Amino acid sequence: MKRNITLVFLLFTLLGGSVLRAQYNQQPEFLKANSVWVFGQHAMLDFNSGTPPVADSAALDIMVPINGAASVSDPVTGELLFYSDGASCWNAAHALMPNGSFLMGMSMFDPYSSGSQGVCIVPFIDSPGKYYLISMNSFISAPMNPSGGLFYSVVDMSLDGGLGAIDGSRKSIVLDQDTTLSGMMVAIPGDNCDIWLLVHDYINPVFKAYRITAEGIAPTPVVSTVGAQLNKQILPDPIVGSYLLGSMSVSPDRQMISTTSAFPFCLLGAVVDSVAGVLLTHFDPATGIVSDALQVEKNLNSFGAAFSPDNTKLYLVNFDELTGGSQLLQYDISTYDSLTIANSKTLIASDTGSQQGTLRLFGDTIYVALSKVDEAQNDFQQSQVISTINLPDLSGPACDFQMSSFSLHPGTSRALALPSEVVYPLDDTLFATVLDTAMCTSWTAPFALQPGIIDAAYTYQWSNGSGDPVLHVTHSGNYQVFYTDGCHFRIDSFLISGTGLDPVILQNGMTLSTEEAYVTYQWIFNGNIIPGATNSALIANDIGDYQVIVTNNEGCVDTSAIHEVNDVGIKDPAGIASRISVYPNPAHDVVYISAPINVDLHISDVSGKLIKKVADAKKVSISGLADGTYLFHILDKDHNLLRVEKIIRISKH
């Protein structure tokens, strides 16, 4: 007799990944798109062949002594597509693209005045082969260009025979007329099939996040004012602020941003605190909001920083203006607290021979470009070597810093900055959920299977062809639903297993039990619960209707059909009962039964709950029973009830 449908457990299991693949820089398309670096003075590194990367020839046209560069490769093959210094753009054949010059970038007027991230390449969300090439003017050159400080052009790889060209109708479009941008710019994958372009003011602690979607670049940024720990104007003319030189980096889980501020000795002198330094902030990839700034440590003068792959370490090169020495430092940022982070500082390498360093995480390795300022020439001395942190997740020396791991191609040198990252929207991750459900079979009404998300923006496709958000089923089986909003792709699987109970009551004499064993029991008499009657057996003391509610290992619950008890009288045709003696009464520990034949004993409480069975009962211990009244049911070997004796158990005094 089925009365219940019971959901046993709901188990969520991730299959083949995590929600939105939290480590954005481990995406296959990210690794391929960033597998060729073009930067500095004709320098090129190709990671397609392994690690260390191959230092390619000096046939490249790019020449950026200080400020940033960007390059992008095919997200499937890893082959170089194009590269830029922000002012010009070259194709894979190292020729200037059609419409590829005068892009209003930072190197347009003064390549020596900008920061490290003046150019950024962002793929179109919904159009493979098209890219935004975003560039900015520096704080000195921007005022010379009244149009503003931030621009973008569109590169279409279908043009110029597949080598790509700048779309002439979408070239040097003004995105922001603000001429106070710092030269810091990073792209960050968002949570909603979008990408955030994050820039920073060069004096004030102001972040601007531009949202890039399939519809384009939103003209109005999300503005966050945070990080007042570093907020100083150094020189009045031209205006120089805390963020003149520095860079931003993004943690692999997209939850943190590091922002650095560095100054040459000629501008800074010995005063570092609150002028230069390193900040950590939280970043919300769903909203673009930057918050909760904390200063990593006082008196840091660092140009670049990088996070470890597991998001628990921050690395930077610090230059001490007083001693002239520099150190590669590691901080544990697993606890987001300034004092804790400062106290975790570990010296990885001292006297690195540089005043500034740019760090970039790629794969599982952090690449370090070290540079030294020649103040007499007011220039940066470049190098042909790249250093590496090979195990950046590990603490202290175990991180395996290797100075000068490999060299660039002869005749080339790197700039102060390494090329910017090319990021992709996190829209290709499949979020799979298994809902494993055990149910009682033969349920009387359809059971609703509901996906993890029900929203009008999603379309649904069930394995049986239904397009409804909710599927109603009446049978066990394996059901799947695929659903998407065009950005997030999800599969929910429902494993519905049926378990039959159908308990049947058996009667042996006046003892009721069930055909099969269950986990729990609750006996019912004439439709009412019998208090305390939760054993596997029950002695029927009265004529009437008996039922039992049972539960199995899977948690399914069912109620038996009614079992009628019509006769609870004594059957003693031979008159044996009159010759049976039960004593003493009341009793303390032992009750004796004297009978002319071998008899069995069933002891119950007054409700009928069976407490104990004794075969061939003659001397029965009741020492384990609580004080009270008990019914002694005496039966012959054919289970005929011969006599019922009421025994009172009392403790000894």
Side-chain angles (χ1 to χ4, degrees), residues 3-22:
R3 290 190 177 179
N4 304 80
I5 299 174
T6 303
L7 186 67
V8 178
F9 56 90
L10 204 59
L11 174 65
F12 292 90
T13 305
L14 289 180
L15 300 180
S18 58
V19 179
L20 293 179
R21 194 182 282 134

Side-chain angles (χ1 to χ4, degrees), residues 211-222:
R211 185 174 181 235
I212 303 175
T213 67
E215 285 70 39
I217 305 177
T220 303
V222 175

